[in-house]
Amino acid sequence: MVHALEPLVVRHTHRLPAPRGAAGQGGVAARQFDAALMSVGFKLSAELLGHLSALSEGTVVDTAVRTLDTVRAMVGDHVRHNAYFIDFPAHVPDTYAFWQQCVADAVDRGVAVAGLSDGVVDLLTLPAYGTYQHSYAEMLAAHGELLAAAGDRLTVLHLGDAPDDEITALYLALAGSAAPLGDGGLPDLEVLAGHCVHGPQPEAIPVRENRAVVNRARVEAGADPLLDTVTDVLRLACGLSDGDVTLVQPTRFRSPSRRVRRVLLAGLDAVVAANPAKLADVSAHREAFKRLGERLHAHEYAARWPHAADVFAVARGEKRARSFDSRVEELLAADDVLGAARLLESAPGKLFRCLDRLLRACATDAERDAVARAAARLAPKVSGRVLLSVREHCHNRARGSGARRVFVNRLGRAWATDESRSPLPEAVRARLVAALDAETCRRLPAPGHLLIDPDVLDVALPLSGRATAPGFGVLPRGSLSPVDGELLRFFVYWKQTSDTTDFDLSAVMLNSAYETVSWLSYTALTEVEGEHSGDITEAPDGASEFINLRLGAVRGTYIVPQVNIFSGEGFEEVEESFFGFMLREGDQRGRPFEPRTVRMKSQLRGPGRVALPLAFIRGEDGRWRAKWLHVYLKGTPSANRVEGNRVSVAALVRGFVERDHLTVRHLTGLMADRGDVTTLWDGKTVPQGPVTYIGLERPDGLHPDSCVITPENLGDLVPE
């Protein structure tokens, strides 16, 4: 079981749990392991290499096999990436010339081409279009070996503690996370919770979705769940039915066992008995509670658990439980802003979430001053994640007319609109910002010697797990990260489940006014900027498409890659799908997909039919930077193309580019005021003593007592 959980530790921490085995002479095998890792862009730390060298050769080989499988999957090298044009990016033909060749090929084969006489031909009916015309081995033979370059990625794997200790530490970190984990972390937490249910538990589980996952493991192990709201019970019921504990998607409840039925009904009864006001939470999920009540046969147990019966009576509309939000709305509708603020003081988090609305509803400066004073007074009672979210909001409210607002829901679907709210008075906004910064600074620990990698400063704080896609090298939505290299290459891979499915990789280039300059797609195989690898229209065994861009030749300011679903299964229906990008120097050659050049690979798992993982921005200094998006457009049921969504994509990109996200720079600036020394890391020199290191990757050779913050545990930087 420990070996089965080892990949989770490697993926989340880039640490390899210390292998156990007989002592021996494993030095040769360890160096071979290191060389194999380097071929996919990873490397053993000096400490880990030394540890492996002291073990038996068999132990090292077994460890190497498991770890190589894990890291190859992390960067997308666990599948075969073929390209339609065998020697891509060389000799990619002109689009129309290629289509004409496909028609000629069909005629030569004696295939009847419908529509040929009137000049309207369905490309999908041509035998040479949309399917690989060569094997994977033939494609490999057409490419030379990748030449080594100083810019090749090397991700260091560090030596971890004993396997059980690493697994427990990861479980505690995920379960106790201050930010929601999202689709990538919740499934891993579920696996770990089942394994660690009888071991150490986190002191607190602030995120309700995380608590639901832990509660499921506790119930299945025979322990009592941790419940303090009726929604906690609903989330637990969803988890026990393999449903969505975030409550975004409806769950089809299964008929529970008698023990589980007792646990859920007793939990509801205890919560409401302790605080009858919590019945007001039922209305937010009325339909889900009604369906749950039917499965629990709640009416049969009304005498034993009368307070649980009240929950389902409220859900059915037989009993009224006035919600807190409705009382607030009633006061605001009567223009009693101060009354609404006084009521919200009993729920500080809600007050902060509607702070902007309260301030805009104020009729006088005196009312605004009273609301601002209440917010400053209640700031110590609000979670760090909410504090920072409101701080980011207040900063962006300083933008004038003409600004764009971007909305992203919990599923990742995004849309943009013009700012229509009245501005906040600058004096009030500045006062709130100062109060929020003071409270955040009070909660931050004294870091001692603070060592900062400059490349991490513009990484957005992970205030929600929904703002990040699961994958490798992925940063939170709104982050900016440097892009260094001559060639930028995008890739998408998908494997259909049952229906014929056609994903189309495209990239649109925009100028500084967000107007289209050019694009690359199956309808534009070549442009000044680069080449498209060719259209693949079905993927029963998996398929890949690539776009190769010469950054120096790009016309415009923005590059926006996108994945369009032309037909077939959606992102959440295919067996597997992911997007990523590679960086190369101009003379490196190599295959279309080279794992050690992969800088980012993220799963495509979201709603809609168009995925926008990130955009690339050319700065005034001429350097390119990635702006991380992780959003989806609804699109159309079929035939999505870059030509059809250029306007909506440009509007979204503008909204994201113009919005300032709260970044690591903000918190490190506050931490620097409390630290002894602050140093920007030069990428070479590592201090001898303990430090608080914040960077994109952990350097080799840090003092063992150092506190290390990287994207894998960036949430630890957010104060509670």
Side-chain angles (χ1 to χ4, degrees), residues 230 268-269 272 279 282 289 306-316:
V230 294
L268 284 173
D269 195 77
V272 177
L279 279 173
V282 174
F289 273 111
H307 299 291
D310 288 342
V311 169
F312 301 108
V314 170
R316 293 190 299 269

Side-chain angles (χ1 to χ4, degrees), residues 32 37 40 46 48 99 139 189 200 213 244 280 412 458 503 522 550 586 598 664:
Q32 291 173 336
L37 281 173
V40 290
L48 180 52
W99 291 351
M139 187 275 295
L189 175 59
V213 170
D244 179 15
D458 292 322
F503 282 15
Y522 76 92
R550 292 173 289 277
V598 172
V664 172

Side-chain angles (χ1 to χ4, degrees), residues 485-486 549-555 618 624:
E486 297 178 42
L549 287 171
R550 292 173 289 277
L551 288 175
V554 170
R555 298 165 291 168
R618 194 205 309 263
W624 287 91

Side-chain angles (χ1 to χ4, degrees), residues 34 55 83 102 108 181 219 237 249 259 266 271 276 279 331 349 351 359 420 467 474 525 530 536 609 630 693:
D34 194 36
L55 298 175
C102 289
D108 290 343
L181 299 176
V219 169
Q249 301 290 348
R259 186 183 72 83
V271 166
L279 279 173
L331 290 168
L351 184 144
L359 291 170
S420 59
V474 178
L525 296 173
I536 302 296
R609 309 285 284 184
H630 307 305
Y693 173 80

Side-chain angles (χ1 to χ4, degrees), residues 5-77:
L5 297 178
E6 188 177 274
L8 299 185
V9 176
V10 174
R11 286 196 287 107
H12 281 278
T13 69
H14 292 180
R15 289 161 61 92
L16 180 63
R20 294 179 290 193
Q25 300 295 320
V28 173
R31 288 190 294 274
Q32 291 173 336
F33 177 23
D34 194 36
L37 281 173
M38 291 177 68
S39 70
V40 290
F42 291 82
K43 181 173 176 53
L44 301 173
S45 70
E47 185 181 17
L48 180 52
L49 181 62
H51 178 86
L52 290 169
S53 297
L55 298 175
S56 68
E57 184 175 288
T59 299
V60 175
V61 170
D62 290 343
T63 302
V65 171
R66 296 194 308 270
T67 307
L68 281 166
D69 285 344
T70 299
V71 299
R72 289 182 64 218
M74 287 169 63
V75 297
D77 193 42

Side-chain angles (χ1 to χ4, degrees), residues 392-415:
E392 180 181 293
H393 172 83
C394 287
H395 174 79
N396 283 280
R397 285 290 271 130
R399 297 185 298 166
S401 60
R404 298 284 289 176
R405 294 181 66 187
V406 174
F407 298 88
V408 184
N409 66 16
R410 290 172 61 91
L411 296 174
R413 184 169 294 168
W415 64 99

